[in-house]
Amino acid sequence: MTKRAPFVVGITDHVIPPPDLEAAVLDGFAEVDFLDTRREADLDPERLARLDALLVWSTPIGPATVAKLPRCRVVVRFGVGYDKIDVAALEAAGIPFCNNPDYGTEEVADHAVSLLLSLQRRLWEHDARARTYGTTWQANTLTPLRRSSAATVGVVGVGRIGTAVVNRLKPFGYRILGYDPHQPAGHEKAIGYRRVRRLEDLLAESDIVTFHCPLTPETRGLIDRDFLGRMKPGALLVNTARGEMFAGLDPLEEALRSGHLAAAGTDVLPTEPPAPHPLLDAWRKRESWLEGRLVVTPHNAFHSDEAAIEMRRNAAETARLFLEDGVLRNRILP
């Protein structure tokens, strides 16, 4: 007779089912219940009531769901962000919440720097225009086009990913500014960037601004008309952090149309999949005023084959670590 596993770990949903990697980490230790829904309203109360731990990908977890988790001892998110998780409701129910920040750091940093370099070198614009060249070729240069050592990059958020971005940028010779009030004094000396105390100072000095901060009440809607207006004329913007940091797409469209913002590269949008908007319509149609100046990728900066495996194993290991040893890894408090 097969011995029953002592615990039950639920998985709400997944990018690519089935949850075989998680099952391998939990093999013989916990039964895996794959709930397979991204809608909170579709979570089965009877199955939730059995769970000792819950792993979450994209399904929101609010107070109504928390109330249906009487046995649950820990909730773990596969990713880093947790804006869809009611951490306060979990804490009030005595259920600790952990996220998963130690995967995909290299991938997001590589993605951000790739966007940054390609926009600074105006590669996308060159590609678009070169399709139309006939009798001339090498003479078709674009200006302004600054060399890296003559440009200043402002990094907003110098945590794990922001630090990885700084480390990747240094060999190119950029002057690098960093804004992060949560980093300890001297962090800038250890990593190698110039710290600014006010975000507006970073905007005023930076030719390129790249975002690597979490979504919080302070950062939600941060990139609005006033923010963009404070950036240097002709600056570049890169966002691989959170789409909700955009205060909608109207301010971004206005800044690009006016030319105040030379170009933008983003892996994230305010609504995903994106809702209809004139800026995205122009991007899809490759309208001449925008072509090569807006680069959009579908929120996959975190992904590589290796990162996908690391993410899934780490989340399952975090749940097992707590259930087995009582150790909370990467705990997030309200």
Side-chain angles (χ1 to χ4, degrees):
M1 183 175 178
T2 304
K3 185 179 178 181
R4 182 181 179 277
F7 297 107
V8 181
V9 176
I11 299 177
T12 57
D13 61 316
H14 222 300
V15 177
I16 305 173
D20 50 348
L21 289 174
E22 296 82 356
V25 172
L26 300 166
D27 185 39
F29 175 78
E31 171 193 340
V32 174
D33 186 0
F34 185 40
L35 305 173
D36 198 16
T37 179
R38 297 188 177 190
R39 297 184 67 249
E40 186 177 15
D42 292 339
L43 291 169
D44 185 343
E46 292 186 6
R47 294 168 73 181
L48 291 176
R50 299 177 60 235
L51 302 181
D52 298 287
L54 179 63
L55 308 185
V56 182
W57 176 248
S58 63
T59 311
I61 303 295
T65 297
V66 174
K68 298 169 186 174
L69 295 168
R71 280 183 48 178
C72 189
R73 295 171 57 189
V74 66
V75 172
V76 181
R77 176 139 201 283
F78 281 103
V80 181
Y82 48 91
D83 43 289
K84 295 181 180 179
I85 309 292
D86 194 326
V87 180
L90 286 169
E91 192 72 19
I95 305 172
F97 170 72
C98 303
N99 72 343
N100 190 12
D102 42 356
Y103 86 96
T105 299
E106 304 101 305
E107 286 75 11
V108 179
D110 289 348
H111 200 97
V113 172
S114 297
L115 287 172
L116 187 156
L117 288 170
S118 65
L119 291 172
Q120 188 221 341
R121 291 297 306 166
R122 302 181 72 169
L123 299 187
W124 306 98
E125 291 178 81
H126 270 303
D127 176 73
R129 297 185 186 203
R131 298 166 195 268
T132 67
Y133 300 153
T135 57
T136 62
W137 191 249
Q138 193 175 12
N140 293 288
T141 57
L142 294 173
T143 189
L145 203 162
R146 308 287 303 280
R147 65 171 48 160
S148 300
S149 60
T152 297
V153 178
V155 182
V156 182
V158 198
R160 291 177 180 87
I161 295 171
T163 295
V165 167
V166 170
N167 287 336
R168 283 156 172 73
L169 291 176
K170 284 190 288 186
F172 289 95
Y174 290 104
R175 175 173 176 257
I176 305 171
L177 309 179
Y179 172 78
D180 193 332
H182 301 291
Q183 296 304 328
H187 183 264
E188 69 279 10
K189 295 181 180 295
I191 304 305
Y193 63 92
R194 187 168 77 81
R195 188 172 200 144
V196 294
R197 304 295 174 183
R198 300 190 307 166
L199 183 57
E200 51 263 41
D201 293 338
L202 180 144
L203 300 181
E205 294 188 47
S206 299
D207 301 292
I208 308 162
V209 178
T210 179
F211 295 89
H212 305 287
C213 44
L215 184 66
T216 66
E218 291 76 25
T219 61
R220 184 182 294 274
L222 174 69
I223 308 171
D224 58 12
R225 287 180 177 87
D226 179 67
F227 182 98
L228 294 170
R230 290 172 183 265
M231 292 178 66
K232 289 178 67 173
L236 309 174
L237 181 150
V238 173
N239 186 3
T240 54
R242 286 288 171 180
E244 294 90 340
M245 290 174 61
F246 289 115
L249 292 176
D250 287 350
L252 183 62
E253 180 187 12
E254 292 167 10
L256 286 166
R257 279 192 181 275
S258 70
H260 181 75
L261 196 64
T266 185
D267 185 55
V268 290
L269 294 168
T271 303
E272 296 174 2
H277 189 276
L279 178 63
L280 297 180
D281 291 343
W283 167 72
R284 286 191 173 100
K285 295 174 183 175
R286 296 176 177 263
E287 291 184 8
S288 59
W289 71 272
L290 186 63
E291 191 169 19
R293 297 177 57 221
L294 176 64
V295 179
V296 180
T297 54
H299 204 152
N300 58 13
F302 71 92
H303 180 75
S304 70
D305 295 346
E306 292 79 7
I309 293 170
E310 186 178 43
M311 170 189 71
R312 296 170 62 182
R313 284 182 176 161
N314 284 357
E317 287 170 357
T318 296
R320 178 165 186 162
L321 189 64
F322 181 64
L323 294 175
E324 192 168 35
D325 298 327
V327 176
L328 278 172
R329 181 169 71 177
N330 301 322
R331 184 178 188 179
I332 299 293
L333 294 170

